[in-house]
Amino acid sequence: MTNGDGQPGRSRGWQGAVLKMLGADDYQFTVTGTERISEHYIRIGFTGGGLLTARPLHPTMWVRMWFSDRAGKLHQRGYTLVDADPAADTFFIEFAIHDGSAARWAQQAAPGDTIAATFMGSKFALPEPAPKGWILVGDTASLPAINSLLDAGVATAHVFLEYQHDDDTDLPLRSREADVVHWVRRGEGIVDTLRANKFDADGHFGWVAADTKITRSAVRVLRSDFGIDRGSIKSQAYWMANAKPS
Ligand SMILES: Cc1cc2nc3c(=O)[nH]c(=O)nc-3n(C[C@H](O)[C@H](O)[C@H](O)COP(=O)(O)OP(=O)(O)OC[C@H]3O[C@@H](n4cnc5c(N)ncnc54)[C@H](O)[C@@H]3O)c2cc1C
C-alpha cells in the first residue's frame, strides 16, 4: 500500500505549497514492521529514506506525514519519532487509534508500504541550565514525545496523562522511580487534577501537548497555580477534539 503520489508539492493543497515554499525536506518512509500494542495503539517501524542521515535528533522530534482521506485528498499529520537509530536511518512511530485518516492508515499498514513525509517545524532543545524538575501534561498522542523526554534523562517529572480506553493506562510509559504519574480519564478533568496537585514549581519546566482546549488550559494552570513563567513552558496542541473525521 502506497500513500501520497510521491511527488512532493502535488495533491497536498495549500499546506503542501507553503511547506514547499519554506524549503521543507520531503522523504519517503517505508514500513518495516507493525506491532499492535493494544486495541487502540499501534507501533510501526520505518526506514526514513534519508531523514536521519544528515539531521541531529532531538527529544520530541516529529515529522509531518501525508495521509489520504476517503476521497483521496492528502492531509498532513504530525507524528513523533520513537527509538530512532540515526546510523541505520530507522525509527518507530506509535499511533493512537481513533476514526481518522492517519489512524486508519496505521491499522492497515504492512511491511513494504510507503508513505510521504515532510520535515519542518520540529525544534526542541533541553533547557540550559537543567530545570530542577518537569511537569509533563499529555495524552496517548503525546505519550511518544513524553517518553522521549524521560529517555533523555530529564530531572524528576510530574506526569499528567489523559486516557480514553481502560487499557491505555497499561501503555508503555517510560517513567523512572522518582517520577509521579497521574492518569486521568478523558472527561474527568485532567486540568482540575493538575491544579489540585499544584506546588511551588520554581525552577521547573512545563511541557504540554494534548488536544487544543486542554493544552491551552493546562498552560494557564502551570503559569497561575504553579508559578512557571512562559519562557519555561513548551506547549503545542497535538489534535483538535470534535474535528470533522478525515
Ligand atoms: C507535533 C505533533 C506530534 C504528534 N505525534 C503523535 C504521535 O506520535 N502519535 C499519535 O498518535 N499522535 C500524534 N500526534 C497527533 C496526531 O497528529 C493527531 O491525532 C491527528 O489529528 C491524527 O490524524 P487523523 O487523520 O487520524 O485524524 P483527524 O482527521 O485529525 O481527526 C479525525 C477525528 O479523530 C479525532 N482525533 C484526532 N486525534 C485524536 C486523538 N489523538 N485521540 C482521540 N481522537 C482524536 C478528531 O477530533 C476527529 O474527530 C501529534 C501531533 C503533533 C502536532
Side-chain angles (χ1 to χ4, degrees), residues 11-221:
S11 307
R12 294 179 185 178
W14 63 269
Q15 292 179 326
V18 170
L19 285 167
K20 189 85 194 133
M21 222 166 62
L22 293 173
D25 292 322
D26 291 306
Y27 299 92
Q28 180 168 280
F29 298 167
T30 304
V31 174
T32 55
T34 75
E35 184 188 353
R36 196 168 263 273
I37 307 280
S38 76
E39 196 187 338
H40 297 99
Y41 204 74
I42 296 177
R43 178 176 162 98
I44 300 185
F46 292 94
T47 54
L51 173 74
L52 296 179
T53 47
R55 179 172 290 112
L57 281 175
H58 60 261
T60 74
M61 189 162 164
W62 58 279
V63 291
R64 301 163 190 268
M65 298 168 77
W66 294 92
F67 299 96
S68 170
D69 64 19
R70 290 192 173 98
K73 187 167 172 242
L74 291 176
H75 301 268
Q76 57 151 330
R77 301 285 186 245
Y79 279 90
T80 306
L81 305 186
V82 177
D83 295 333
D85 177 348
D89 192 28
T90 60
F91 50 88
F92 295 85
I93 288 178
E94 294 176 349
F95 292 80
I97 300 304
H98 46 266
D99 182 21
S101 306
R104 270 196 306 277
W105 180 88
Q107 291 178 86
Q108 291 166 10
D113 288 354
T114 59
I115 183 150
T118 300
F119 185 86
M120 168 136 298
S122 177
K123 197 172 165 220
F124 183 69
L126 293 179
E128 293 283 351
K132 266 200 266 183
W134 289 64
I135 298 154
L136 309 174
V137 184
D139 55 27
T140 54
S142 53
L143 182 62
I146 286 175
N147 279 338
S148 77
L149 289 167
L150 298 172
D151 280 353
V154 299
T156 303
H158 293 251
V159 188
F160 296 82
L161 283 163
E162 185 183 65
Y163 71 96
Q164 300 190 42
H165 311 285
D166 286 343
D167 58 358
D168 283 349
T169 56
D170 296 330
L171 291 175
L173 172 66
R174 300 182 185 179
S175 49
R176 295 84 36 100
E177 214 172 334
D179 296 330
V180 182
V181 179
H182 305 262
W183 281 100
V184 184
R185 186 183 282 279
R186 183 162 175 80
E188 292 185 359
I190 186 170
V191 177
D192 294 339
T193 304
L194 180 64
R195 192 180 289 114
N197 284 279
K198 72 178 177 190
F199 60 90
D200 176 6
D202 186 37
H204 283 61
F205 194 90
W207 188 94
V208 183
D211 79 29
T212 330
K213 222 165 131 191
I214 287 172
T215 302
R216 207 178 307 124
S217 307
V219 168
R220 215 173 293 134
V221 169

